[in-house]
Amino acid sequence: MKNNIDTIIFDLGRVLIDHSPDYLYRTIFNDDLDKMDWFLKNVCTPEWNIEQDAGRTIKEANKIKIEEFPEYEKEILAYYDQWSIMCNGPINGTLRIFEAIKKSNKYKYYALTNFSAETWPTAIQLFPFLITFQGIIVSGEVKMRKPFDDIYHHLFKTFDINPKNAVFIDDSMPNIKTANRLGLHGIHFQSPEQLEKDLKKLNITY
């Protein structure tokens, strides 16, 4: 069956970039996984981190957490001071798919990412392939974030995307649910192998 898909949109973290706070905090807590898990669930939480993705400054974020947990000041400051350690390289299987899509010249290719504007320059240094996208919406720069509708509409308008003709790949199910509701063909990323199968189901060849 033919389709009219002409655009493929990638999330970045845990789709193209192997990123996890665990890579840093395993070392900080000397492989005490219970301490690390407690810290990441109670101090530097995902809910705290995502506000930086929405535009809050790292300085303000650190101030809030250090006031709340002064005994963990050093560990809190490490979150962004040593942020690059959380990045364990590209996810090579997905990167291979991305490179093949580019080479095919069949599709437009963009990224929509929840990312702090302050860590974004470091990400570009670590992962030069990021500058090869035809366009990227970085949540911290536009002060909107997934899974809220406004950042998707901003993406559509900025790059003249018809959602019915676009595929969106993300590891977060809430982000995929929004994408599907707005008319995108959402693929919930779990592995490069699964992604390849799901792209084939949509008759995307490269």
Side-chain angles (χ1 to χ4, degrees), residues 8 57 71 115 163 174 203:
I8 301 176
T57 66
E71 69 274 25
F115 228 104
N203 294 310

Side-chain angles (χ1 to χ4, degrees), residues 17 51 68 77-78 99 101 104 125 143 158-159 171 200:
I17 296 171
E51 291 304 318
E68 191 178 357
L77 290 173
E99 295 294 345
I101 286 168
S104 77
Q125 289 181 343
K143 295 184 168 53
T158 301
F159 301 124
D171 68 300
K200 283 180 181 177

Side-chain angles (χ1 to χ4, degrees), residues 24 57 64 142 147 167 170 174 184 197:
L24 170 62
T57 66
I64 289 167
V142 298
V167 173
D170 199 299
L184 288 158
K197 288 177 183 176

